[in-house]
Amino acid sequence: MHIEVIMKKLWEIWNHIRRKDAVWVLLGLLAVSLIALPYAVLGEGCYVQVHDQLDGEVLNYMYQARYLGRGNVIPQFMNGMDKASMLPPAPLGVLLYKFFSPFTAFAVMHWLCLLAGFLGMYALGKKLGLRATVSWAVGCVFCYIPFYPVYGLAALGQPMLTLCGLRLAEETESKTVKRRRWAGCYLGIALFAACSSLTLVGYVWVAAGLLWTAYLALRGKRGKTGYGPALRVGGGTLTLLATYLVLNADLLRSFTGKGFATHRQEMVLRTAGHPLASLRELFFSGGSYSPVYSAGILAAAVLLALAVLLCRDKKSGASGRLGAAWSLIGLVCLCALLAVLWNCGQVVSLRLSVGGMVTYFQADRIYWCFPFMWMLVLGHVLEGVCLLGECRTVSAGAGTREEGGLSAGRTWDRQWPRLAACICCLLLLGIEGFQILRDSTLNKNMRLMLLDGYRQVTWESIFMEDVFSRIDGAIGEDKEKYSVVSLGIYPSVALYHGYTCADGYSNNYDLKYKHRFRGVMARELEENEETRRYFDEWGNRLYLAGAPYGINGMVAKGQSGYVDLDYDLDAMNALRIRYLLAAAPVELSPASREQTDLTLELVEGSPFTEENAYYQVWLYRICEK
């Protein structure tokens, strides 16, 4: 008897707690903050994904912050390149790099985006009628997907943007509530634009906003709602577009021909592989930086469909959730198909014939929306399973159920559907969570914190503060008087330490400069067809190439040297290059040495390295023989 009373009281407390959004929000914020905890514990010794972050985007933030409001040129990048060549994907993040050190700014930006991602997904789930527990679980899983922090709210902000759009389309009675809600929605939309990229994902949401505005206007014309929702959603779409345009003024200036002729003009488009293979890849794996982990969710949706079909219980509401889930899955299929078509042979030929920005515009990046849509599918599936379990429980216990959810005569027959539903939900979340945590940076950072012998590439191992302090001393000259170039080392490393770099990583820089830089290694490129095509037909990585590593910016210490390099030292000198930072010993070819009065002289102290450094830095001075 006492156990029954205790259980009833605990059930009442649980029902009370789960109705309190504040509790779930706090628990969710704490849960997603764990992802950022290693930044505080390990500092610069924590693991950070290097690709497209430490080799490029972090430097874009740093130098845009350094030259904020100061001209149109960044002197240290590619010997002085237009600001449009170093555009950060989340412009508002530049302010963090203005007031904090680069690592602190990176960590704070990641943490703030995680909080925004959870709050947006939780609030959107509640808006769509999902229970608090499901909204909380989906919000946490969504934030644990290993999105790249440098891209800001491009992925994590999509729930917030969707929620703002839904609220703008609503009608409310109170004028005060209207003004506050609409102002908050427009502010949220502007925030998303300020913390995301127009070319990565913004164009997708601008297009979606226009389509939704047209749909609402059509409904209003038919007299179902009036034109108010269409006008508000249209205003939100214009807010989104206007914010993008204002914050991408440098990009627009380069597109209008007032800056420079972009190297993208020489990019060679490649058609996608087999369409079905590409479609399968997008559907089950996602595109670049947009992992979807869809297999488990899709399997759960199929099983739920079978369960609903067998139960034939329309009162549960599970069928409605299932319908919403499959509608979203169909939308993912349609978007994936559009992405595949954009890179098929006929469309590529059409893009080439049109020319200009259309040629190299990556409309297939609609796949950036796939993780968000799959998380919505996950939410509807979980809610459907819960509704199905509750309905079967109520049916089994009809006539004996007491208020509060407990009955004196409750039996196992009445409880097993609810228990089965809980187990199914936990299994699905476990499968998704295992896959996501496997790829998460938290996984590697937890090992760094707990395992003494575990090693990973970290912020400090890439940027090597102590190593470059010694290199600065060995050079002993003002960094503004010369340029450096890197071989086997990401140019971002030297740029991080304030050197003027002749090389760099950019998706939009001066075509003429590419041709000048190519002259340094023209003969070397001709000896390796794969490297030549990589440089000539893509070219975003304006790096030195050399046998045996090609264009590789992560040649770890202890590797064999570069041999028989056919470089033009006179072309280097014309680009003000005085120092070469190499990840391994460098040997020029006899032809290169004979055709010039210059030589490479190894600087005393080389190679520069330390125990935790990823690279050895062999420092060469270009000087007269």
Side-chain angles (χ1 to χ4, degrees):
M1 183 65 181
H2 293 293
I3 295 177
E4 184 179 336
V5 172
I6 293 172
M7 291 296 294
K8 184 173 182 179
K9 181 58 68 176
L10 289 174
W11 183 264
E12 290 174 354
I13 293 172
W14 168 251
N15 280 332
H16 177 72
I17 290 176
R18 71 177 184 175
R19 295 191 188 100
K20 299 294 184 180
D21 281 336
V23 174
W24 289 112
V25 168
L26 179 60
L27 290 174
L29 294 179
L30 290 174
V32 300
S33 293
L34 287 176
I35 304 171
L37 180 63
Y39 296 134
V41 176
L42 297 172
E44 294 186 8
C46 71
Y47 167 79
V48 175
Q49 177 68 42
V50 176
H51 177 67
D52 277 358
Q53 295 200 114
L54 303 191
D55 64 342
E57 299 295 4
V58 165
L59 281 300
N60 292 347
Y61 286 107
M62 287 175 56
Y63 278 88
Q64 287 289 349
R66 181 177 297 185
Y67 292 98
L68 187 62
R70 296 167 53 190
N72 294 323
V73 174
I74 296 177
Q76 287 84 1
F77 188 62
M78 293 186 183
N79 276 330
M81 191 60 65
D82 195 288
K83 279 186 174 181
S85 65
M86 293 192 80
L87 293 179
L92 193 61
V94 170
L95 296 180
L96 293 175
Y97 286 79
K98 183 71 176 177
F99 298 110
F100 297 106
S101 68
F103 176 78
T104 302
F106 179 88
V108 171
M109 180 174 168
H110 190 191
W111 180 61
L112 292 176
C113 290
L114 289 169
L115 300 187
F118 173 78
L119 291 172
M121 184 61 84
Y122 180 85
L124 179 61
K126 296 283 287 184
K127 178 68 178 175
L128 296 176
L130 305 181
R131 65 193 64 205
T133 47
V134 170
S135 299
W136 179 86
V138 173
C140 290
V141 171
F142 178 62
C143 289
Y144 270 80
I145 294 175
F147 300 122
Y148 282 26
V150 292
Y151 293 116
L153 294 180
L156 288 168
Q158 292 178 39
M160 176 187 71
L161 182 65
T162 304
L163 179 65
C164 290
L166 290 175
R167 286 183 171 174
L168 285 176
E170 286 182 338
E171 293 289 354
T172 58
E173 297 296 332
S174 170
K175 291 183 179 180
T176 304
V177 172
K178 285 181 181 180
R179 294 192 188 99
R180 290 178 180 174
R181 175 180 295 179
W182 297 343
C185 290
Y186 290 128
L187 181 63
I189 291 170
L191 178 64
F192 175 82
C195 296
S196 65
S197 169
L198 172 63
T199 55
L200 289 179
V201 71
Y203 74 93
V204 177
W205 289 100
V206 170
L210 292 174
L211 290 174
W212 195 19
T213 300
Y215 168 73
L216 292 174
L218 184 61
R219 288 189 63 190
K221 184 177 180 180
R222 293 177 178 176
K224 293 184 177 181
T225 58
Y227 289 105
L231 291 174
R232 293 192 296 273
V233 172
T237 305
L238 290 177
T239 299
L240 183 67
L241 179 59
T243 307
Y244 275 130
L245 295 179
V246 170
L247 294 176
N248 288 273
D250 288 327
L251 179 64
L252 296 175
R253 177 171 49 81
S254 70
F255 283 164
T256 57
K258 295 182 180 179
F260 53 85
T262 178
H263 79 287
R264 284 178 168 268
Q265 293 180 8
E266 289 187 347
M267 280 189 174
V268 176
L269 295 182
R270 299 291 178 188
T271 58
H274 195 282
L276 290 180
S278 300
L279 186 64
R280 182 181 180 278
E281 177 73 16
L282 286 176
F283 192 75
F284 288 104
S285 300
S288 302
Y289 324 116
S290 61
V292 294
Y293 307 99
S294 59
I297 301 173
L298 183 63
V302 172
L303 292 174
L304 178 59
L306 293 174
V308 169
L309 184 64
L310 293 173
C311 292
R312 298 183 180 277
D313 198 335
K314 298 182 179 180
K315 295 181 180 180
S316 67
S319 58
R321 292 296 170 183
L322 181 62
W326 280 104
S327 296
L328 285 166
I329 293 172
L331 181 60
V332 172
C333 284
L334 176 61
C335 292
L337 180 60
L338 292 175
V340 170
L341 290 176
W342 183 253
N343 291 314
C344 73
Q346 294 83 352
V347 175
V348 167
S349 299
L350 178 62
R351 289 162 59 190
L352 288 171
S353 64
V354 172
M357 191 175 70
V358 175
T359 303
Y360 43 82
F361 179 63
Q362 292 180 273
D364 56 327
R365 281 176 170 164
I366 194 172
Y367 54 63
W368 273 71
C369 301
F370 289 2
F372 166 55
M373 288 193 282
W374 277 110
M375 286 300 104
L376 289 182
V377 173
L378 175 63
H380 285 297
V381 169
L382 290 172
E383 185 68 23
V385 172
C386 292
L387 289 171
L388 192 62
E390 287 180 352
C391 181
R392 302 308 299 170
T393 301
V394 171
S395 299
T400 62
R401 188 177 183 184
E402 293 181 355
E403 186 177 356
L406 287 175
S407 64
R410 176 170 289 174
T411 63
W412 170 251
D413 289 340
R414 301 184 187 118
Q415 281 302 297
W416 77 263
R418 188 188 296 272
L419 182 61
C422 290
I423 292 174
C424 289
C425 290
L426 290 174
L427 280 174
L428 177 55
L429 290 172
I431 292 170
E432 289 300 305
F434 174 79
Q435 295 181 79
I436 291 172
L437 190 59
R438 177 196 61 200
D439 299 334
S440 173
T441 57
L442 181 63
N443 181 15
K444 296 181 175 66
N445 279 318
M446 289 299 292
R447 295 185 188 185
L448 283 172
M449 287 190 287
L450 299 175
L451 304 177
D452 291 336
Y454 185 71
R455 293 289 181 268
Q456 266 296 342
V457 178
T458 64
W459 182 288
E460 65 181 4
S461 73
I462 290 294
F463 289 127
M464 307 179 298
E465 292 280 358
D466 292 340
V467 170
F468 270 83
S469 177
R470 288 158 47 205
I471 291 174
D472 290 348
I475 293 176
E477 297 182 59
D478 188 346
K479 294 176 181 177
E480 295 181 356
K481 295 181 179 180
Y482 59 88
S483 298
V484 303
V485 68
S486 300
L487 177 62
I489 302 172
Y490 284 131
S492 61
V493 179
L495 192 61
Y496 181 88
H497 294 284
Y499 287 92
T500 299
C501 298
D503 45 0
Y505 181 18
S506 173
N507 56 19
N508 183 39
Y509 64 90
D510 193 342
L511 178 61
K512 293 181 180 178
Y513 188 79
K514 178 184 178 182
H515 292 165
R516 290 185 63 195
F517 188 87
R518 190 187 190 283
V520 172
M521 54 177 181
R523 297 190 297 267
E524 183 71 24
L525 288 176
E526 296 306 317
E527 296 175 10
N528 189 315
E529 179 65 15
E530 182 180 353
T531 302
R532 185 197 66 77
R533 289 179 60 184
Y534 182 84
F535 184 88
D536 289 346
E537 298 180 5
W538 188 58
N540 284 5
R541 296 187 185 275
L542 192 78
Y543 296 178
L544 278 183
Y549 305 110
I551 296 180
N552 180 4
M554 288 196 73
V555 178
K557 60 185 178 182
Q559 302 298 312
S560 59
Y562 288 90
V563 294
D564 206 32
L565 296 182
D566 206 352
Y567 287 166
D568 188 334
L569 296 186
D570 291 319
M572 281 192 179
N573 190 52
L575 291 173
R576 298 179 59 246
I577 298 173
R578 193 178 302 175
Y579 292 94
L580 169 66
L581 285 70
V586 171
E587 178 188 335
L588 293 178
S589 68
S592 294
R593 294 196 298 268
E594 293 171 0
Q595 294 175 2
T596 180
D597 294 328
L598 301 175
T599 187
L600 285 179
E601 177 184 85
L602 187 64
V603 174
E604 185 178 354
S606 298
F608 298 87
T609 190
E610 61 181 0
E611 182 181 356
N612 294 328
Y614 182 83
Y615 299 105
Q616 282 180 328
V617 182
W618 298 75
L619 180 62
Y620 292 89
R621 181 184 293 111
I622 300 174
C623 57
E624 294 184 357
K625 293 180 179 177

